[in-house]
Amino acid sequence: MRPRLLVIAGPSKDSTLPLPDGEATIGRDPTNVVPLVDPSVSRKHCLLRREDDRFQIKDLESRNGTLVNGEPVKEQWLRHGDEIATGDSVFLFLLEEDERVAAVSRVEFDESQPTTDTKVLHPREVVYLQPDRLLRELPATSQVARNLGALLKISRVVHAIRDLEELQAQLLDLIFEVVPAGRGAILLTEGAGQEFNCMYARTRHVGQPQLVRVSRTVARQVMKENVAILGVDVPASRPLRDVESLVASEVRSLLCVPLSVFQRMIGCIYLDSTNSINRFQEDHLQLMAAVAGISAIALDNARRQQWLEQENQRLTMEVRQDQSLVGEGGRMKEIFQFLARVAPTDSTVLIEGESGTGKELAAKALHRNGARANRPFVAINCAAIPETLLESELFGHERGAFTGAATQKKGRLEMADGGVVFLDEIGELAPQLQVKLLRVLQEREFERIGGTHSIKLDIRLIAATNRDLAEAARKGEFRQDLYYRLAVVKLTMPPLRERRDDIPMLTRHFVQKHAKRCKVKAKPVSREAMAALVNYDWPGNVRELENAIERALVLGSSDSILLEDLPESVVDQSSPEESHEGKYHAQVKQLKKQLIQDAVEQTGGNYVDAAAVLGLNVNYLHRLIKNLGIKEALVQALRGRGKMTGGAA
């Protein structure tokens, strides 16, 4: 017995996960035995428990539930072959060595010309898509009646599946039930005349993969002319009977029908048969043309759904990278541990810290990893909205509540119902609004301005401030009862000067971020520039560092970020002693000084001409002179030699 999970859908598709003895948890958290990079999965989604040779699955109160063979379960014993679904990830639970998984065959095109023994069918000639004609030709025992039953079954199935691969597998299985085909392929393209970019092939017998050889000429003709083609007797066809691969496969019949959506070709369905007795007939051609008409829109929608899910996942990861806290030092590890413990709860959190330390990013991390991750996150800056408007923004108003209130308006709190409200700069909240907010925290209800009835509210509140609220409450500048309601759980974000070991990582992160956003090449940071960044106190914290890196990327003229590219405040605080520059860098700096001095003396103190001699921008030359600290020395040297001119800067 080799217990394992085969991932058949989701971000980890096609991987196999062995199951250990004892218990194994599945979820988004990296600490799980089976961690999943899947935003639709809860942090601790479900539990697999082994008892002797049996396995039991238990749902851990996950957000989207746990399904076994399509049915939601709380606890259930598993059998070999059971399908487990957690969010967008689907597993096959396997115990035995013979997995009996349906094998997918390869597609290979044959360049031969199509058989002359063919019939071409135009869409207007498809019997099953003409209801009036069907009514005239429909005896109860006719083949038409049986085919209509098959079409109804196929229609019900294909429009109930959204996963592209599962849809293609189910569709071919249903086709095998009504058409004597041994092998089949569904070929999809983005447009007529283009190469097929999605190919799925199967054989009638599960577990027996073969090479499904498709005639490229036939497929292209079907796509180009929007016609269905039937090759009744391949061995009797002069162009095809000499093709070694078809002879070796003993192919007797070929059938290919187009897939079109709103006059747009999206692909074709190809079938072949090796049965010399039950060959494809015109009735099979009619039936498959109708099947293609029914299933084309379902296949197109499933493909678009797949693309949208992949694109959404990619964009979500990009947003998370832009909105994630960055750091690996001791202080940040403590922050990450705190967030991991508090996020799953609904406790009110007060985040304190200086401006620019990442308080809103911490709030978003709490929301993203909590039970309300799929609900709204509404951020309100209490200091950015005028006091006269803030009450209406928070609580909303009824029509006619005041002059200009022509319609009813929902407030931000009401819009966030079920989700998270982030109140930034909570220390700036006016006293009368503090009273109303206290009621929201105590009773989870409020009234709109001008309203006469209470509105129930289900939110999690996260507040942030750069003030010392405890001290403000003691001085009477902030309501003590509100402070205690807000400070159920407190988090203090450290200033950047207290986590200097994170500055190199943050710098590289901002270089990559802004190089992409500003459409410039990412640059390495020179040793001197990095030393200056680490030594600077950063009163504006991470926000100031990000602005400095963006400025250096945009304004820098060399292939790396140099000391001269940084803001003057950063450069001025960096001293040679702090930079610990070695012999090589000291010699480079001395050479720069000498080159500049020679150019300035050569041009008689004219900095514009000196910059031209050096091949530099004149503004950059001024910055170099200032950062190298040689301006006074240049002036003295020129005066001593009597070369100072009126054109000197």
Side-chain angles (χ1 to χ4, degrees):
M1 184 174 68
R2 188 165 62 90
R4 60 209 181 278
L5 295 176
L6 175 65
V7 187
I8 60 177
S12 303
K13 183 181 176 182
D14 296 331
S15 60
T16 301
L17 309 172
L19 293 176
D21 294 334
E23 296 184 345
T25 55
I26 300 175
R28 197 173 72 247
D29 195 300
T31 60
N32 287 289
V33 176
V34 182
L36 299 174
V37 185
D38 187 343
S40 66
V41 174
S42 298
R43 296 184 67 82
K44 296 286 185 180
H45 199 100
C46 61
L47 170 74
L48 286 172
R49 181 175 62 85
R50 181 171 183 171
E51 186 176 302
D52 297 329
D53 291 338
R54 298 197 304 166
F55 278 82
Q56 184 186 52
I57 189 168
K58 179 181 179 181
D59 184 73
L60 300 178
E61 298 183 358
S62 61
R63 183 172 66 252
N64 294 325
T66 301
L67 283 71
V68 176
N69 298 324
E71 297 294 330
V73 299
K74 292 299 182 183
E75 289 187 20
Q76 181 169 314
W77 292 101
L78 296 173
R79 296 173 299 177
H80 174 73
D82 279 348
E83 183 179 282
I84 303 169
T86 58
D88 291 335
S89 295
V90 182
F91 311 87
L92 204 61
F93 175 71
L94 301 174
L95 287 173
E96 304 166 8
E97 290 299 327
D98 182 14
E99 301 172 5
R100 304 296 294 173
V101 178
V104 178
S105 301
R106 293 190 301 113
V107 171
E108 181 175 303
F109 285 103
D110 173 39
E111 303 294 346
S112 302
Q113 293 297 318
T115 174
T116 55
D117 186 13
T118 62
K119 179 174 177 61
V120 174
L121 184 71
H122 292 274
R124 63 180 179 273
E125 299 170 343
V126 180
V127 174
Y128 296 104
L129 298 181
Q130 301 179 47
D132 294 337
R133 184 175 173 183
L134 281 175
L135 291 175
R136 297 193 302 268
E137 301 181 6
L138 193 59
T141 59
S142 70
Q143 181 66 36
V144 174
R146 289 192 294 272
N147 287 345
L148 279 177
L151 287 175
L152 179 61
K153 180 179 179 181
I154 290 173
S155 179
R156 287 200 308 266
V157 171
V158 299
H159 290 97
I161 302 172
R162 70 171 186 174
D163 180 76
L164 180 60
E165 186 168 341
E166 182 184 356
L167 174 59
Q168 293 176 114
Q170 291 274 7
L171 181 56
L172 286 177
D173 285 343
L174 292 170
I175 290 172
F176 290 150
E177 291 181 8
V178 295
V179 177
R183 298 174 299 184
I186 298 175
L187 314 173
L188 301 178
T189 182
E190 289 296 334
Q194 297 184 12
E195 290 297 319
F196 297 107
N197 59 2
C198 179
M199 297 180 287
Y200 185 92
R202 286 276 294 278
T203 60
R204 175 180 290 273
H205 302 292
V206 174
Q208 297 182 12
Q210 297 182 28
L211 178 66
V212 178
R213 188 177 296 276
V214 177
S215 170
R216 190 186 298 274
T217 304
V218 170
R220 283 179 173 172
Q221 182 182 350
V222 167
M223 293 286 293
K224 182 179 179 180
E225 301 178 13
N226 189 18
V227 295
I229 293 179
L230 168 65
V232 177
D233 191 352
V234 172
S237 169
R238 185 182 301 273
L240 296 180
R241 66 186 178 189
D242 296 328
V243 178
E244 293 182 3
S245 59
L246 295 180
V247 173
S249 302
E250 299 180 350
V251 174
R252 302 293 179 180
S253 300
L254 289 173
L255 196 158
C256 191
V257 293
L259 293 165
S260 63
V261 176
F262 304 121
Q263 308 300 318
R264 176 174 55 88
M265 298 300 301
I266 68 165
C268 61
I269 301 177
Y270 166 85
L271 302 172
D272 69 25
S273 172
T274 59
N275 192 316
S276 59
I277 300 175
N278 297 323
R279 296 175 180 173
F280 298 155
Q281 303 299 329
E282 183 177 350
D283 186 69
H284 297 132
L285 181 64
Q286 290 279 354
L287 178 61
M288 282 307 304
V291 169
I294 290 173
S295 58
I297 188 68
L299 288 166
D300 193 45
N301 286 340
R303 182 172 58 175
R304 291 177 181 274
Q305 175 77 15
Q306 183 184 70
W307 182 86
L308 287 172
E309 289 176 352
Q310 293 171 349
E311 184 69 4
N312 181 61
Q313 185 177 0
R314 182 186 68 81
L315 293 174
T316 300
M317 294 302 295
E318 284 189 4
V319 170
R320 288 186 176 182
Q321 289 173 358
D322 288 343
Q323 298 183 348
S324 296
L325 293 165
V326 176
E328 58 183 5
R331 293 297 301 275
M332 287 308 298
K333 286 181 179 178
E334 294 175 4
I335 297 295
F336 294 143
Q337 292 171 0
F338 174 92
L339 295 175
R341 289 196 303 269
V342 176
T345 72
D346 255 356
S347 298
T348 302
V349 181
L350 177 62
I351 305 175
E352 296 182 328
E354 298 177 8
S355 294
T357 52
K359 297 187 290 295
E360 185 168 352
L361 292 181
K364 288 180 178 178
L366 288 171
H367 170 248
R368 190 166 56 244
N369 296 290
R372 301 172 183 262
N374 291 330
R375 304 298 296 168
F377 177 88
V378 177
I380 306 166
N381 189 322
C382 300
I385 303 175
E387 183 179 326
T388 54
L389 300 177
L390 185 57
E391 183 176 6
S392 176
E393 284 293 316
L394 284 173
F395 302 104
H397 60 255
E398 298 288 352
R399 179 181 179 183
F402 50 82
T403 302
T407 60
Q408 183 193 78
K409 175 187 175 182
K410 290 185 177 181
R412 301 274 191 94
L413 294 177
E414 192 173 352
M415 292 167 60
D417 190 34
V420 173
V421 173
F422 174 61
L423 294 179
D424 199 6
E425 303 297 351
I426 189 70
E428 308 304 319
L429 199 63
Q432 64 270 24
L433 295 183
Q434 293 180 26
V435 176
K436 298 192 72 170
L437 182 60
L438 179 62
R439 184 190 175 197
V440 171
L441 290 174
Q442 289 176 332
E443 309 296 337
R444 286 299 193 266
E445 64 180 29
F446 71 99
E447 292 179 4
R448 298 193 191 105
I449 299 175
T452 57
H453 65 279
S454 297
I455 299 173
K456 291 292 184 181
L457 198 61
D458 174 25
I459 59 169
R460 181 183 190 180
L461 187 69
I462 302 174
T465 180
N466 58 8
R467 297 179 58 188
D468 185 346
L469 275 195
E471 181 64 23
R474 282 193 293 270
K475 293 180 178 179
E477 298 171 356
F478 194 84
R479 291 186 64 97
Q480 282 194 349
D481 46 4
L482 177 58
Y483 169 73
Y484 292 127
R485 285 284 181 181
L486 292 171
V488 176
V489 181
K490 286 179 62 176
L491 169 65
T492 300
M493 298 297 294
L496 188 54
R497 60 183 174 276
E498 293 182 8
R499 55 183 191 105
R500 296 180 187 273
D501 47 353
D502 287 332
I503 290 178
M505 175 182 282
L506 284 164
T507 300
R508 290 189 291 271
H509 171 73
F510 292 138
V511 166
Q512 295 297 326
K513 174 182 175 181
H514 290 290
K516 182 178 180 181
R517 190 174 71 84
C518 299
K519 295 180 174 59
V520 297
K521 183 181 177 182
K523 302 178 182 179
V525 182
S526 70
R527 181 176 176 274
E528 296 90 343
M530 185 63 76
L533 293 172
V534 172
N535 288 321
Y536 185 55
D537 282 340
W538 299 109
N541 293 295
V542 179
R543 187 180 294 121
E544 184 184 4
L545 172 62
E546 180 174 4
N547 293 339
I549 297 303
E550 181 179 2
R551 176 181 183 274
L553 276 173
V554 173
L555 297 180
S557 57
S558 63
D559 292 334
S560 61
I561 295 178
L562 305 175
L563 185 65
E564 303 86 60
D565 299 326
L566 301 179
E568 295 180 1
S569 56
V570 177
V571 177
D572 290 345
Q573 187 169 315
S574 174
S575 66
E577 292 76 22
E578 292 173 331
S579 299
H580 304 290
E581 62 184 16
K583 182 177 180 181
Y584 169 78
H585 295 284
Q587 292 292 331
V588 170
K589 182 181 289 186
Q590 187 60 40
L591 179 59
K592 287 181 181 179
K593 291 180 180 179
Q594 189 61 50
L595 288 171
I596 292 172
Q597 183 173 333
D598 291 345
V600 171
E601 290 182 358
Q602 177 185 338
T603 58
N606 189 309
Y607 285 178
V608 175
D609 293 342
V613 170
L614 293 169
L616 300 175
N617 181 281
V618 66
N619 293 328
Y620 184 56
L621 176 61
H622 279 294
R623 293 190 65 193
L624 275 174
I625 291 172
K626 180 178 179 181
N627 292 331
L628 293 171
I630 60 174
K631 184 173 184 179
E632 192 63 33
L634 287 173
V635 173
Q636 294 297 332
L638 289 169
R639 284 177 178 172
R641 297 186 183 187
K643 294 183 179 181
M644 201 67 174
T645 70

